[in-house]
Amino acid sequence: MALILVVEDNIENMELIAYLLRSKGYEIELAMDGKKALELADKYNFDLIILDIYLPVMNGFEVLKRLKSSLNSNTSVVAVTASVLPNNKELLFAAGCSEYLEKPFAIDDFCEMVSRYV
């Protein structure tokens, strides 16, 4: 089964995402900040990384930049964020993000998105 890293600083959002992924049988690791996400990415070979953008310690843009320079090229990174800034989507794709999902998201949309990458 796929191994997924969830990087989310909002505990309620993290719990929801973790619940959805575990209910589908995925193995997951959790990080609440960018520094921890990078530590876990060095330790494990993730099939998918779900990354919030506005994080403590190190924001998601910096995490994405560092991840993309060190990750296996087969690892997809999906941004999940509540940001409504118009250029964020373009910046994320330019930084190497595979997909962008806005919060709040529909559960079916989230599950469908995950299934495309693992």
Side-chain angles (χ1 to χ4, degrees):
M1 187 50 62
L3 178 60
I4 300 173
L5 173 60
V6 178
V7 187
E8 172 63 65
D9 65 326
N10 178 291
I11 193 71
E12 291 84 12
N13 290 341
M14 180 181 276
E15 288 174 352
L16 172 63
I17 291 170
Y19 172 80
L20 292 171
L21 294 172
R22 285 184 180 127
S23 74
K24 299 291 184 185
Y26 299 116
E27 293 181 45
I28 63 170
E29 289 290 329
L30 304 171
M32 292 190 75
D33 64 61
K35 183 175 183 261
K36 180 67 174 177
L38 293 175
E39 290 170 5
L40 289 169
D42 283 342
K43 186 175 178 180
Y44 298 102
N45 186 20
F46 293 104
D47 297 293
L48 174 64
I49 297 174
I50 298 171
L51 178 65
D52 187 13
I53 298 307
Y54 295 103
L55 298 166
V57 183
M58 181 185 308
N59 73 40
F61 288 104
E62 184 62 26
V63 172
L64 183 59
K65 177 182 169 187
R66 292 184 186 199
L67 285 173
K68 282 304 189 175
S69 69
S70 66
L71 280 179
N72 170 338
S73 63
N74 295 327
T75 303
S76 297
V77 179
V78 173
V80 179
T81 183
S83 173
V84 294
L85 297 176
N87 66 338
N88 270 359
K89 191 172 186 178
E90 291 78 22
L91 292 172
L92 288 165
F93 286 130
C97 208
S98 302
E99 193 162 337
Y100 176 93
L101 190 62
E102 289 183 27
K103 294 185 235 174
F105 53 78
I107 291 173
D108 290 342
D109 292 344
F110 176 80
C111 292
E112 180 183 316
M113 178 272 306
V114 170
S115 69
R116 282 195 300 273
Y117 293 99
V118 293

